[in-house]
């Protein structure tokens, strides 16, 4: 049985569905996505401990599964949460591993004994596609760098804040809110920045809470050099890349979400 709030000393177990790899300039100093996401969630757990919301001895264990190689958790009951990472791939591409991931999400069990699901960027888009939303490139181009999102009233209730400061790195978007989901956050660029399933088992974020300013700086530097980002977009993003983000707050909310039945 998955760990829940009724077992405060049990470890919080998270399965990370790895959908890509950071560029070498990020991976070399900061690690691959399992390391980057583990750092994020450990920061969230630390925040919960400081608030005395969890037992001080509580541990969080993260295990990575490379779904590009069609590797998935064998026993979902071993986990409290499943987190789907970002990717350089497009969630709407007709590729075997992407189609399998979409099907996996669409058929994922939703009872209280099943893990919660959190989708980040590409993961957000995969969840959108799995539930029949329109997912494609934005007509507005890239949303890049430090961004302030606006919460809906439901978003304020879920995220327990009035807004969210987060890094963005995407040009694909979920254009609408699929049936069975509620919108939590928007920006001027992207209407669907965050959503939650009506049964409270799935939550998504278009932004990247796992990315710090230094990580974003490397992405911007490398992708400007190779022509992905134009000079104007790059310069505007670098001006705010070190602005404060709500990393620990968002991470704590994610950890709190997955640990409760």
């Amino acid at each position: 049985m998955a760990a829940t709030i009724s077992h405060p000393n049990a470890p919080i177990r998270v399965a990370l569905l790895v959908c890509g790899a950071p560029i070498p300039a990020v991976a070399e100093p900061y690690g691959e996505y399992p390391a980057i996401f583990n750092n994020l969630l450990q920061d969230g757990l630390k925040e919960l401990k400081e608030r005395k919301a969890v037992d001080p001895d509580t541990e969080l264990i993260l295990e990575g599964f490379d779904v590009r190689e069609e590797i998935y958790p064998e026993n979902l009951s071993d986990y409290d949460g499943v987190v789907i990472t970002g990717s350089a791939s497009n969630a709407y591409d007709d590729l075997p591993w992407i189609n399998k991931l979409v099907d996996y999400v669409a058929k994922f069990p939703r009872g209280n004994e099943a893990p919660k699901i959190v989708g980040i960027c590409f993961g957000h888009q995969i969840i959108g596609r799995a539930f029949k939303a329109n997912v494609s490139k934005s007509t507005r181009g890239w949303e890049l760098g430090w961004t302030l999102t606006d919460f809906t009233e439901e978003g304020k209730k879920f995220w327990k804040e009035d807004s969210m400061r987060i890094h963005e790195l995407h040009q694909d978007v979920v254009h609408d809110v699929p049936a069975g989901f509620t919108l939590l956050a928007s920006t001027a660029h992207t209407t669907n920045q965050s959503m939650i399933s009506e049964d409270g088992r799935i939550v998504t974020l278009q932004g990247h809470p796992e990315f710090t300013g230094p990580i974003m700086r490397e992405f911007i530097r490398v992708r400007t050099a190779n022509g992905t980002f134009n000079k104007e977009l790059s310069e505007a993003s670098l001006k705010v890349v070190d602005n404060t983000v709500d990393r620990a707050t968002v991470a704590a909310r994610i950890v709190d979400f997955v640990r409760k039945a």
Side-chain angles (χ1 to χ4, degrees):
M1 181 181 297
T4 71
I5 193 171
S6 61
H7 302 285
N9 293 317
I12 302 165
R13 297 184 65 93
V14 175
L16 186 74
L17 304 190
V18 179
C19 304
I23 58 175
V26 169
E28 288 169 9
Y30 303 108
E32 300 288 340
Y33 282 136
I36 290 171
F37 272 91
N38 186 60
N39 287 340
L40 171 74
L41 298 180
Q42 296 296 344
D43 284 351
L45 180 61
K46 179 181 178 182
E47 176 82 3
L48 291 176
K49 289 180 178 180
E50 289 175 353
R51 297 180 196 166
K52 303 188 186 307
V54 297
D55 188 275
D57 295 327
T58 300
E59 295 181 338
L60 186 145
I61 301 170
L62 181 144
E63 297 178 63
F65 299 86
D66 193 336
V67 297
R68 297 169 300 173
E69 302 296 329
E70 300 192 3
I71 300 171
Y72 286 81
E74 290 187 7
N75 298 305
L76 285 177
S77 61
D78 291 340
Y79 301 95
D80 301 288
V82 172
V83 176
I84 308 173
T85 75
S87 177
S89 299
N90 300 313
Y92 45 83
D93 282 348
D94 184 17
L95 296 175
W97 75 267
I98 292 177
N99 293 338
K100 179 171 181 176
L101 178 59
V102 170
D103 189 57
Y104 181 82
V105 171
K107 296 177 179 178
F108 201 88
R110 303 280 282 275
N112 285 348
E113 298 304 317
K116 303 283 189 64
I117 304 179
V118 179
I120 305 295
C121 195
F122 176 84
H124 162 77
Q125 296 156 12
I126 286 289
I127 290 167
R129 179 180 163 187
F131 292 98
K132 310 304 182 185
N134 177 19
V135 182
S136 68
K137 280 187 170 47
S138 172
T139 58
R140 298 185 175 97
W142 286 93
E143 186 170 32
L144 178 66
W146 185 93
T147 303
L148 181 67
T149 71
D150 295 320
F151 285 146
T152 63
E153 288 306 311
E154 289 302 316
K156 292 176 183 177
K157 292 176 185 176
F158 178 83
W159 291 107
K160 304 185 186 302
E161 299 288 342
D162 291 331
S163 62
M164 180 191 301
R165 298 166 295 182
I166 195 168
H167 289 299
E168 303 277 350
L169 179 60
H170 70 101
Q171 60 178 337
D172 295 340
V173 297
V174 181
H175 291 277
D176 47 2
V177 180
F181 283 77
T182 299
L183 184 68
L184 297 182
S186 300
T187 62
H189 181 284
T190 305
T191 299
N192 189 346
Q193 281 282 344
S194 178
M195 60 183 178
I196 189 169
S197 60
E198 291 174 357
D199 63 3
R201 307 299 302 177
I202 304 173
V203 73
T204 71
L205 273 174
Q206 178 58 73
H208 286 277
E210 77 279 17
F211 288 170
T212 62
I215 287 176
M216 283 299 302
R217 189 182 299 278
E218 289 303 314
F219 272 112
I220 295 167
R221 179 183 65 81
V222 170
R223 292 187 175 177
T224 301
N226 69 19
T228 302
F229 304 145
N230 62 43
K231 183 178 179 182
E232 181 181 12
L233 178 62
S234 173
E235 289 179 349
S237 300
L238 286 173
K239 285 181 181 178
V240 294
V241 74
D242 293 320
N243 282 8
T244 299
V245 291
D246 295 312
R247 173 185 171 88
T249 302
V250 173
R253 188 66 189 95
I254 291 171
V255 173
D256 203 36
F257 171 71
V258 302
R259 78 188 183 94
K260 294 181 178 178

